[in-house]
Amino acid sequence: MTADIGEDLHRTRTIESVATLPSAPARSLDSNVIVESKIASHHSFKHDQEDIENTLELNEQMDQKTVNEEDIIPDGGLRAWLVVLGAFFTQFTAFGTASSWCVQQNHFEQNVFSSVPNAQLQLSFAGTLMEVCVDMMGPLVQILSNKFGYRAVLIAGAFLMVLGLEMAGFTSQIWHLYLTQGVLFGTGASFMFVTAMNAAPQWFDKRRGLALGLISSGSGAGGLILPFILTPLNNTIGIGWSYRVLGFIILGCAIVSCVCIKMRSKSPKQPTRKLKELFNFEVLKDVNYCLWVLGSMIGLMGFFIPYFFLPSHATYLGISSENSSVVVAVMSASNFLGRISIGFIADRFGRLNTDIVCLLITGLSAVTIWMFAYTFEVLLAFAVVFGFFCASYFTLLSPITATILGMERYPTGLSILLLSNCVSVFGPSIASAVESTVDAEPYLAYKVFTGVVYLLGGLILCVLKVRMTKSVFANI
């Protein structure tokens, strides 16, 4: 029994000693839990990091896919052809009206300002000022589009065009036409034309020549249709109401343009760029581009002369005003067909090649056919040939500029090219000054001037072709 008591006492002390020991096993268990928790957290963080990396990689792939899709030029499709339709009507309104100016000028000269000395010269300056405004506003259009967006520029252009024509209907002095049809209409036409020509090439590549030919044909269509509208209106309701009717026609066409024209880029709106970022004047160091501008500028000096003075020449030959309008209409119809055909031909045989050939043929037509045009039939023949081949510059100015500079420098190149046209539009005024000072057959100076500048421009572009291709027969 004594032994049992001793054994119980030993067991009690052992239990007490165990109870008084530090709780090492418990702390060891807690540490294991913490370690396991940290390991689990590390694995969870690693998985989260992998998920984030995978998400970022997926987003990059999606962004790259979007960029690649935007880099693929559609070269057709409903949206692209709607842009062509809208740009077609900008040409119809801007250059169709300009082509029809000769009808209005002839009416003013014969019926309104017949007693004004040098009325023909003064009236021709209104058409010149209109073309200057169309060409010189290119840089301003870029600045405004960058700040307010292309859609606002289109709407402003439509408003200015319609306002200019409506105000021209109240003309009582020649200088009124300088402000209305010259400045207001010319500025609005430039806003719409430059915006359209910046948008259209973005939608086409291999068929760019054809698309821009269709767009450019709007000028011929306007020159074909509008004279037949304006001539009877001038003779019946007067030139004032004729301008007002023309203003509403232009309004309808401008609405179609504003709805249909769209830039191709789907990227979010970019922040407003500085002026030095907006214009890349490095293009002026490109010798090929400078030759292109020089040849085009010289050749274009002869473009407006037949459109301005052919009706007056017809009147001088004893041809009626109705038949004079027919001459302009035939030239515009030929111009309409020429712009489409030249765009199609240029895609096959080279855009610069086509422009050179057209310039040379146009110049030859002036010093051969027009030089000996003393009858209505010969005038019609000249109108057909000149109208068809003179269309090359306006059809091919965008694709040739893009070929020389690339699309990145294209907007600046187009603006400078159009700005250089401000010199060209003084061609009719220069020819008129020469005509009034030389003692020669009437209208001879116009014929010679037109032929010489076209031939000289074609020869300069021949030099450009040889520089770019090192060959006379290369396809470019």
Side-chain angles (χ1 to χ4, degrees):
M1 184 172 177
T2 304
D4 293 337
I5 293 172
E7 187 176 349
D8 292 337
L9 181 61
H10 177 70
R11 188 180 297 111
T12 302
R13 289 176 177 175
T14 301
I15 293 172
E16 290 176 354
S17 64
V18 170
T20 57
L21 285 175
S23 57
R27 285 200 303 270
S28 177
L29 180 61
D30 292 340
S31 298
N32 290 338
V33 172
I34 293 172
V35 170
E36 290 177 358
S37 176
K38 288 182 177 180
I39 292 173
S41 299
H42 174 73
H43 286 303
S44 176
F45 175 77
K46 186 176 181 180
H47 286 308
D48 291 342
Q49 190 176 15
E50 290 177 355
D51 290 341
I52 293 172
E53 291 176 354
N54 291 336
T55 302
L56 292 175
E57 183 178 358
L58 181 61
N59 289 338
E60 290 177 359
Q61 292 176 355
M62 293 177 66
D63 291 341
Q64 186 64 37
K65 181 179 179 181
T66 302
V67 171
N68 292 337
E69 288 176 351
E70 292 183 358
D71 288 341
I72 299 174
I73 299 177
D75 220 23
L78 178 60
R79 181 67 262 180
W81 291 115
L82 283 175
V83 173
V84 169
L85 177 65
F88 171 90
F89 278 110
T90 64
Q91 293 268 0
F92 184 96
T93 56
F95 296 107
T97 304
S99 299
S100 304
W101 162 244
C102 58
V103 174
Q104 304 299 80
Q105 175 179 318
N106 189 45
H107 185 88
F108 276 122
E109 182 182 346
Q110 300 297 326
N111 300 283
V112 181
F113 302 116
S114 57
S115 60
V116 177
N118 296 322
Q120 185 182 74
L121 178 60
Q122 294 184 54
L123 287 168
S124 69
F125 185 71
T128 299
L129 187 59
M130 174 175 57
E131 295 296 341
V132 166
C133 289
V134 170
D135 293 324
M136 74 180 297
M137 296 298 173
L140 179 61
V141 171
Q142 274 192 267
I143 295 172
L144 294 177
S145 297
N146 180 60
K147 187 171 182 62
F148 301 107
Y150 72 93
R151 189 77 65 189
V153 175
L154 284 173
I155 295 172
F159 173 76
L160 290 175
M161 281 198 302
V162 175
L163 178 63
L165 293 176
E166 297 296 334
M167 295 301 293
F170 298 98
T171 295
S172 59
Q173 301 291 331
I174 292 179
W175 64 267
H176 294 170
L177 293 170
Y178 299 165
L179 299 179
T180 54
Q181 185 155 0
V183 176
L184 285 177
F185 178 84
T187 301
S190 180
F191 279 21
M192 298 200 71
F193 168 68
V194 175
T195 304
M197 298 311 292
N198 278 330
Q202 300 176 9
W203 295 88
F204 294 91
D205 183 17
K206 294 181 180 179
R207 292 192 281 181
R208 186 176 290 165
L210 175 61
L212 293 174
L214 291 170
I215 291 171
S216 184
S217 68
S219 173
L224 171 63
I225 296 171
L226 294 179
F228 284 110
I229 297 175
L230 294 175
T231 299
L233 289 177
N234 289 340
N235 295 332
T236 54
I237 62 176
I239 198 166
W241 278 102
S242 174
Y243 265 115
R244 296 180 189 107
V245 172
L246 178 62
F248 283 106
I249 294 173
I250 298 307
L251 176 61
C253 296
I255 290 174
V256 175
S257 297
C258 292
V259 172
C260 292
I261 293 175
K262 179 180 174 62
M263 298 295 178
R264 188 177 67 88
S265 176
K266 298 179 181 178
S267 57
K269 184 178 180 180
Q270 300 294 326
T272 302
R273 293 180 292 173
K274 296 180 180 179
L275 188 62
K276 64 180 180 180
E277 298 174 347
L278 196 61
F279 296 101
N280 184 1
F281 291 106
E282 293 292 321
V283 299
L284 296 176
K285 297 180 181 179
D286 191 320
V287 178
N288 291 336
Y289 174 72
C290 291
L291 284 173
W292 162 238
V293 171
L294 179 63
S296 300
M297 179 180 66
I298 292 175
L300 190 62
M301 293 181 77
F303 174 82
F304 301 101
I305 293 174
Y307 282 99
F308 282 14
F309 299 110
L310 209 54
S312 300
H313 186 208
T315 302
Y316 167 77
L317 295 175
I319 299 172
S320 65
S321 61
E322 289 76 12
N323 284 339
S324 297
S325 298
V326 170
V327 173
V328 176
V330 167
M331 185 162 57
S332 298
S334 181
N335 189 271
F336 172 78
L337 296 175
R339 294 189 184 219
I340 299 175
S341 303
I342 287 170
F344 179 77
I345 294 170
D347 284 338
R348 291 178 175 268
F349 299 102
R351 292 152 188 171
L352 185 58
N353 293 341
T354 305
D355 192 35
I356 291 172
V357 172
C358 290
L359 284 175
L360 296 177
I361 293 176
T362 303
L364 290 173
S365 72
V367 295
T368 55
I369 304 175
W370 194 17
M371 184 71 71
F372 304 101
Y374 299 106
T375 64
F376 176 65
E377 291 76 17
V378 180
L379 275 182
L380 282 181
F382 170 70
V384 170
V385 177
F386 181 87
F388 188 92
F389 290 101
C390 75
S392 63
Y393 171 73
F394 294 102
T395 302
L396 301 175
L397 68 90
S398 290
I400 292 177
T401 304
T403 299
I404 296 173
L405 297 178
M407 289 306 298
E408 182 178 351
R409 298 190 296 170
Y410 167 77
T412 300
L414 179 64
S415 294
I416 294 176
L417 179 63
L418 293 176
L419 198 59
S420 72
N421 293 349
C422 293
V423 178
S424 303
V425 298
F426 284 99
S429 297
I430 295 173
S432 292
V434 175
E435 174 74 15
S436 62
T437 55
V438 298
D439 184 16
E441 175 188 339
Y443 295 92
L444 179 63
Y446 297 122
K447 302 171 185 178
V448 174
F449 186 88
T450 302
V452 168
V453 294
Y454 264 110
L455 292 172
L456 181 57
L459 292 175
I460 293 174
L461 294 190
C462 287
V463 175
L464 170 61
K465 173 186 167 62
V466 173
R467 275 187 54 88
M468 294 182 67
T469 64
K470 311 301 180 184
S471 172
V472 178
F473 303 102
N475 189 335
I476 181 172

